[in-house]
Amino acid sequence: NAGVTQTPKFRVLKTGQSMTLLCAQDMNHEYMYWYRQDPGMGLRLIHYSVGEGTTAKGEVPDGYNVSRLKKQNFLLGLESAAPSQTSVYFCASSYSGGHPGYTFGSGTRLTVV
Amino acid sequence: DAKTTQPTSMDCAEGRAANLPCNHSTISGNEYVYWYRQIHSQGPQYIIHGLKNNETNEMASLIITEDRKSSTLILPHATLRDTAVYYCIVRVGRSNTGKLIFGQGTTLQVKP
């Protein structure tokens, strides 16, 4: 039982390159989320999904796209990476309604140069 | 979701109880208090939640005042591994979106 697995763990991109971050959960959770965390700041919600085939915008969605084609996977895409997207990205999942708690992945550290 | 206020930082001696306060004066009747912590760049970890009654689990205790306007997370015997940022979040139990909005949290430093 792996919980929430994020790949890759580290990545360096050049400005303008694209990439996809993968989040996989094996707990049959309905809800999945992508957050970013910048140095000295709390987590900010990028996008989320309340079920397979659904996605919605969070607080800071610009520059990102997501897809939830399978219940267990939630993909975060950067079409044209910018230095402002340098951050640590966390994926999380939860049962319906986000109660009682989320399970978070260990994060992806992305640097855009 | 109700707004929460937490101290920016706190210190605690190893082996002593760590008491982390959270104010949530605008909490609604159907909103829960959730606590998470984040240990040095790891993903946040769910600790405990409560609605009205005090709660205890293997990690911590949660004390909610009778008027529900504030709460305290208690780590009974803090260890160095409890050094982390602790987040207090207030929201409805099962929302349509399930979103959690994180604030700045309290940085707890446990000292030898």
Side-chain angles (χ1 to χ4, degrees), chain B residues 3-4 15 21 23-24 30 56-57 61 66 72 75 81-82 85 89 94 108:
Chain B
K3 179 180 170 56
T4 63
N23 287 321
H24 31 78
N30 63 343
T56 295
N57 63 20
S61 294
E66 191 168 345
T72 301
L75 308 177
R81 288 178 294 179
D82 292 320
V85 178
I89 301 169
R94 283 186 172 80
L108 175 68

Side-chain angles (χ1 to χ4, degrees), chain A residues 31 33 35 37 97 99-100 102, chain B residues 34 36 38 91 93 95 98 100:
Chain A
Y31 290 29
Y33 316 86
Y35 287 85
Q37 186 172 35
H99 184 81
Y102 284 18
Chain B
Y34 297 86
Y36 285 75
Q38 187 175 25
R91 46 152 278 192
S95 74
L100 274 180

